[in-house]
Structure formats: structure tokens, C-alpha cells
Amino acid sequence: MKTVNCILPLAGLAVLNGCAGGHKKAESKKPLNIVYIMTDDHTQQMMSCYDQRYVQTPNLDRIADEGVKFTNSFVCNSLSGPSRAVLLTGKHSHKNGYTDNTEGAMFDGNQQTVQQLLQQGGYQTAMIGKWHLGSTPTHFDYWTILPGQGDYYNPDFITPEGRIRKEGYVTNIITDMSIDWLRTKRDTTKPFCLFVHHKAIHRNWMADTCDLALYEDKTFDMPANFWDDYQGRAAAEKQEMGIDKDMTLIYDLKMLDEQFNDHYRSLYIRQNDTLGTYGRMNAAQKAVWNRHYQPIIEQFKKAKLTGRALAEWKYQRYMRDYAKVVKSLDDNVGRLLDELEKEGLLNNTLVVYDSDQGFYMGEHGWFDKRFMYEESMRTPLIMRLPEGLERRGDITQLVQNIDYTPTFLELAGLPVPGDIQGVSLLPLLKGENPADWRKSLYYHYYEFPAEHAVRRHYGVRTERYKLIHFYNDIDVWELYDLQEDPMEMNNLYGKPGTEELTEELKSELEKLQVQYDDPVRALN
Ligand code: SGN
Ligand code: CA
């Protein structure tokens, strides 16, 4: 950043200078920028800074190494649009009005949002990539978004000037656009907040052609509960997100062959007006793609796998494809970090890397998310901190995506409106250990009936326990001791000896429903 017109409100800098109310020092500091990178469906198991078992992610690890890693970071409704609405408002789904992704769902952009408050406070705001909120973005000085879920290859983008198509692979393109905005489009006299929202690693996990060969020799260890029988967990039993029974051969696993029936086939090869995920590739891309997948298809046809062997083969293919998509994402995050460094912005910018939720990598036999169980209620959260925030290493407090809005506002020195439900993470980033930090989290998932058939549920998670109530077409309670049963296989609800604990958790749940003003408890 060459010229700095210090528009940044003074209080924020005073916070970093550690001089409460001392506005004088502030002028000597540069305003702080925010780069918030959100991926889609990236789970902690597939980041080496969280989990060493499966992949290496050196660029993401760099963010954690040079900053902090939240080890207890959660979402409040494990689904794309809802998480994006929470990010922009700092409020639970029932308050921001965007509870699920169903057809026609529209985020109300006239409500108070973080980008609006930042913009009013002198920040320049930009949104590039997956938006997935139905409505047109508001209060962004610059925006270019993918329509709906977006596409991996030759994606369309919606811009204020109309729709455009870009040739290439989506993660590279979103990164190119972000770098271009930083270099040529932003107003260098203003601090900025740039949202970089990737489509990767969403289903159907299509890698960049240059990464197709990766991980083919690796055999991934299956999670111990891959063959879960869901005993004592009625809602888990009813889901439709099993690798074994629901993962499709053509669309999900790229086994394009006449022999295979796949009800999602048209999503892969559909042509013309609505292009399938494979159908929209150009001839050169298809040639590389086919060279890679054709021998695998041939081998698979010969093997004639059935039963458990088929499920295990599906699991390996799923893991490999997902891991390849992560590689491109990690490379591109590296490119963006290098650019910030080259532009002299890195030490003046909070870089956040986060996902819209976690994901199942075969745990309970699943892919997808939605459930309040650990793998999908958790989300990765790592931050590279600007100068002045010296905290390093793991932060273990319970944090949730409602906390991002107040964090960004406080970092910018702006007041946090009273109706925001999250709490600023800034004290944690400064190395403080607030005695009154929250001891429990509230969760509420709504999208049912819908794809994957996960029943509506709400619940409470404390540091050790979790209580969930599945409702609507069923009425099922679940209770887990996460210390004794981290894989959530043993539902303790109703078991002798848990009465007191259940009562405590129920009253904690009610307390949170009242605190967050969730009307659903009354409907139930
Ligand atoms: C699509 C996927 C689902 C996925 C949802 C929500 N199906 O509908 O598997 O759960 O998105 O994902 S697909 O056939 O279209 O790939 S979210 O991350 O956007 O919430
Ligand atoms: Ca998602």
C-alpha cells in the first residue's frame, strides 16, 4: 500500500496499541485490512495443520504457523447459504432469516451486514467467488460472484455489468480475480475487506487437470466407524449421505460409462443451455480428463466389485478426488499470500481462512455435512495476524461463526451493534484469556425435507457434552460424552445415571434459546 489516508477509526488501533481510550498513538499506525478466505466443505481432517493423516497443506499451515489455529471452532447451521448469512450478520439463522438453501431462498441484503458497517466506517469492501445467497450482493464496492453453486470448469460469473464466462479452473480464476482486484481495482487510500469465496471443495470434487495424477498411489485409512450401524440413533439411520448407498458412480466418482446407471448422470454430462460439470469442459480439458479417468473406468469395470469391496473402492476414489481439489486450493492460497507479501500488505492485514462448514470423510460411512455431529459442526479456522497481535499457536476456546462480524468490526475500530449475537475474537487474538468466555454453543439445522434427508434439529454443545433434539417428523433426543465417545457412537440419552446431566444440558439449551431468541422452541 503506497499512500495511506488514515481513515481507519481510531479506537481499533488503540486496541492494538494496548492503550484503552488513547487515541493519540493511533495516527502513527497503518489501518488494518481484512482478507477473509472461505472455502466450501473443507474439513479439518483434510488440512495438515489440524490432521496429519491424509494430506499436506503447506500454505494453509503457513497461516497457522505465522498466526493462530482455533481448535474448537464451530458453525451454527452446517450448510452453505446459512453459514454465509451468519458470516455477514453475526447472527444465528433465525435472526438473519436465511435458514436453508431451498429453492427460492433469498438473503435480505437490506438488513445490517458487516460489509455495510465496514463500508460506512471508511473501508472498501469486495466479494469474489461463491455467494450462494440468492439475492444480489449489497454494500460491496466490488463484487463478482458465481451463480448458485458455481462450476469447477469454465465457470460463469455474475457481475454488476452482467454475466460472463471465464475459461479455466475455478480456484485459479477466483484467485486471479482477487489478485487483480488487489493490484489494479482497489482504492489504495482506503483500508479494505476482501472476501475470497472458493467453490472448491464442494461436490462433485473435480480437480484441476494439472493435479489429476496426485494421490493415485495413496491408500487412505478408513475411519474406524465407517461401517456404523446407527444403533440408538434414529435420525442418523435415516440420512441419505452414505458413501456406500448414496454416492454415485458417474457424477461423484467420474466413472462415465454406458454400463452404469446414475440418477445424477445428467448433472455430469448435460449439454447446451445447462452444461453438466463434465459437459462444460472444453476439448483440451476433456482430453486430459479422459486420459486420466478412462483407465480407472476400465479397471473398475473389470473388477466387478460388490458389497463392502465396492464401498471401500468408492471411499478411496472419493478421498483421492477430494485431496486433489485441496491441492489446488492450497497452492492458490499460497499465491494470494505471496501477493499480499509482495504488495507490502501482509503485516498490515488479518488473513482468515475458514470453511462454510466441516465435512465427513467417511466417518459414520458418510460424505456431506448438516448434522450437529463433530465433523460437520466443526469448521477449520486459522488466522495470520497483523503486527500488533502477537498471539501464536492454538486457541482452544469455543468459538462460532457468529463471532466473525464482531471480530472484523472491532479490528476496524468500529462499534459492534447490540443486536449482533457473536462475540469479538480480538481478546483471544491479543493473548487474553477472558474468564467469562462462553461455555456452550447453540446449533440449529433446518433443511428438511431435502437432499440427504437430515432431520431438523437443534442442540447444545459444551466443552464435554452434546445434547441434540431431532424434531419435525421425528422426536428423538441424543446425548454424547465427547470425552469418552469422541466419534459419537453411543447415545446416552435416557440411560440410567444420566438424568442429572440431561437436566443440566436441557436447561443450558433453553437458556441459549432464550438468549438468542429462537422461536422454534415454542413451535415444538
Ligand atoms: C448440492 C449437492 C449436495 C449438497 C448441497 C448443499 N448436490 O445440492 O450434495 O449437500 O449442494 O451444499 S449436487 O448434486 O448438486 O452436487 S452446500 O455446501 O452448498 O450447502
Ligand atoms: Ca458447503
Side-chain angles (χ1 to χ4, degrees):
M1 191 181 271
K2 290 115 213 157
T3 34
V4 177
N5 242 355
C6 195
I7 299 163
L8 186 88
L10 301 175
L13 292 174
V15 167
L16 294 191
N17 289 341
C19 51
H23 288 175
K24 271 185 216 125
K25 268 189 179 177
E27 274 114 358
S28 63
K29 284 267 181 179
K30 280 184 174 179
L32 295 171
N33 307 304
I34 299 159
V35 172
Y36 172 86
I37 308 168
M38 180 185 254
T39 44
D40 199 345
D41 295 357
H42 196 185
T43 192
Q44 293 183 359
Q45 301 94 294
M46 300 301 270
M47 287 169 70
S48 43
C49 55
Y50 279 104
D51 192 329
Q52 285 286 333
R53 286 175 300 169
Y54 300 130
V55 293
Q56 290 303 310
T57 50
N59 293 295
L60 299 178
D61 296 5
R62 177 184 166 192
I63 295 179
D65 287 347
E66 295 176 1
V68 295
K69 178 178 85 197
F70 288 84
T71 58
N72 285 303
S73 156
F74 298 85
V75 294
C76 34
N77 179 1
S78 183
L79 208 58
S80 167
S83 281
R84 290 159 209 276
V86 169
L87 159 72
L88 299 183
T89 60
K91 296 175 187 171
H92 278 275
S93 304
H94 61 276
K95 281 287 177 196
N96 66 48
Y98 198 96
T99 54
D100 62 50
N101 284 333
T102 43
E103 196 74 31
M106 282 272 202
F107 177 71
D108 172 13
N110 292 323
Q111 69 183 297
Q112 171 183 286
T113 56
V114 69
Q115 71 271 21
Q116 174 198 27
L117 297 168
L118 287 170
Q119 207 178 43
Q120 284 166 2
Y123 269 70
Q124 199 178 171
T125 56
M127 163 67 66
I128 299 171
K130 182 170 174 181
W131 170 251
H132 206 200
L133 286 168
S135 50
T136 302
T138 53
H139 300 289
F140 287 103
D141 298 297
Y142 178 89
W143 58 269
T144 295
I145 57 167
L146 293 167
Q149 294 285 5
D151 276 292
Y152 277 110
Y153 278 91
N154 313 327
D156 290 350
F157 285 89
I158 304 170
T159 78
E161 290 78 40
R163 213 168 158 117
I164 53 169
R165 182 164 298 173
K166 290 267 184 185
E167 200 77 353
Y169 185 71
V170 69
T171 311
N172 302 331
I173 296 169
I174 288 172
T175 308
D176 287 347
M177 285 176 167
S178 304
I179 290 175
D180 180 55
W181 183 81
L182 285 167
R183 275 190 199 161
T184 69
K185 296 201 165 48
R186 77 193 161 92
D187 176 352
T188 52
T189 63
K190 288 184 176 179
F192 64 85
C193 178
L194 166 64
F195 292 87
V196 182
H197 286 200
H198 287 289
K199 182 221 167 31
I201 316 151
H202 194 270
R203 193 180 182 189
N204 61 339
W205 317 292
M206 290 177 83
D208 192 354
T209 46
C210 63
D211 294 322
L212 283 171
L214 299 174
Y215 294 103
E216 285 299 338
D217 295 333
K218 187 170 167 83
T219 302
F220 293 86
D221 287 337
M222 294 177 84
N225 61 353
F226 185 86
W227 291 109
D228 191 353
D229 62 4
Y230 315 118
Q231 215 183 20
R233 287 157 292 147
E237 194 174 0
K238 290 180 199 296
Q239 60 38 63
E240 293 168 8
M241 50 194 250
I243 291 174
D244 185 12
K245 63 184 171 56
D246 303 305
M247 188 172 270
T248 65
L249 286 178
I250 296 175
Y251 174 65
D252 288 319
L253 301 176
K254 296 93 185 170
M255 297 296 106
L256 183 56
D257 191 272
E258 290 308 313
Q259 250 185 45
F260 305 127
N261 268 327
D262 178 345
H263 59 284
Y264 280 171
R265 185 189 187 97
S266 65
L267 293 184
Y268 193 60
I269 55 170
R270 192 168 48 181
Q271 293 281 1
N272 304 326
D273 283 358
T274 39
L275 298 165
T277 57
Y278 167 82
R280 65 183 299 120
M281 293 169 108
N282 64 34
Q285 291 161 345
K286 274 186 182 158
V288 184
W289 192 264
N290 293 340
R291 236 188 344 266
H292 178 75
Y293 281 106
Q294 206 52 49
I296 302 171
I297 295 172
E298 294 312 321
Q299 257 180 11
F300 176 63
K301 278 161 65 179
K302 274 200 205 105
K304 297 191 190 319
L305 302 172
T306 55
R308 285 199 169 201
L310 175 59
E312 285 168 17
W313 176 88
K314 282 177 152 186
Y315 168 76
Q316 295 299 338
R317 292 269 17 118
Y318 164 53
M319 293 296 282
R320 287 177 190 146
D321 284 352
Y322 187 107
K324 294 171 207 214
V325 182
V326 171
K327 171 65 167 59
S328 149
L329 188 69
D330 184 70
D331 288 346
N332 275 292
V333 169
R335 274 209 303 138
L336 190 59
L337 290 174
D338 289 349
E339 177 66 19
L340 291 169
E341 194 160 25
K342 218 165 62 202
E343 289 283 307
L345 291 167
L346 203 48
N347 292 336
N348 199 27
T349 300
L350 173 72
V351 181
V352 180
Y353 182 89
D354 178 37
S355 175
D356 59 347
Q357 16 60 211
F359 213 68
Y360 295 93
M361 305 308 303
E363 297 86 3
H364 302 281
W366 297 339
F367 63 102
D368 215 64
K369 52 265 176 172
R370 299 162 190 268
F371 279 108
M372 194 188 164
Y373 301 134
E374 288 294 275
E375 290 82 358
S376 50
M377 184 183 176
R378 284 182 180 275
T379 190
L381 181 63
I382 50 178
M383 296 186 189
R384 191 190 187 284
L385 305 181
E387 268 166 18
L389 291 173
E390 306 310 333
R391 179 78 163 86
R392 295 291 177 270
D394 289 355
I395 294 182
T396 57
Q397 276 90 349
L398 294 176
V399 304
Q400 205 165 20
N401 50 349
I402 44 173
D403 300 334
Y404 307 155
T405 283
T407 304
F408 297 166
L409 292 175
E410 199 184 347
L411 190 92
L414 295 167
V416 178
D419 60 349
I420 284 180
Q421 298 185 315
V423 180
S424 167
L425 303 175
L426 212 59
L428 305 181
L429 301 182
K430 288 196 288 178
E432 292 167 13
N433 191 7
D436 58 351
W437 194 260
R438 69 162 74 84
K439 296 280 182 279
S440 64
L441 298 169
Y442 183 58
Y443 184 90
H444 197 156
Y445 170 82
Y446 300 79
E447 196 181 280
F448 181 84
E451 192 176 9
H452 301 303
V454 174
R455 267 52 189 182
R456 293 178 190 218
H457 57 289
Y458 54 75
V460 56
R461 188 198 190 281
T462 66
E463 278 155 12
R464 178 161 177 186
Y465 299 102
K466 194 182 284 181
L467 180 76
I468 315 175
H469 183 208
F470 292 91
Y471 70 96
N472 190 230
D473 68 329
I474 57 175
D475 181 8
V476 171
W477 288 86
E478 295 185 5
L479 168 65
Y480 297 99
D481 179 343
L482 300 168
Q483 191 174 297
E484 297 300 315
D485 175 28
M487 298 176 106
E488 296 158 298
M489 302 291 285
N490 184 18
N491 177 11
L492 297 172
Y493 189 83
K495 298 243 168 91
T498 61
E499 297 83 356
E500 206 177 312
L501 174 64
T502 304
E503 276 322 298
E504 277 171 28
L505 289 168
K506 279 193 175 169
S507 80
E508 185 66 20
L509 175 63
E510 201 188 333
K511 193 191 93 190
L512 292 177
Q513 288 184 320
V514 170
Q515 178 189 330
Y516 293 129
D517 194 24
D518 187 347
V520 129
R521 65 189 189 278
L523 303 175
N524 205 20

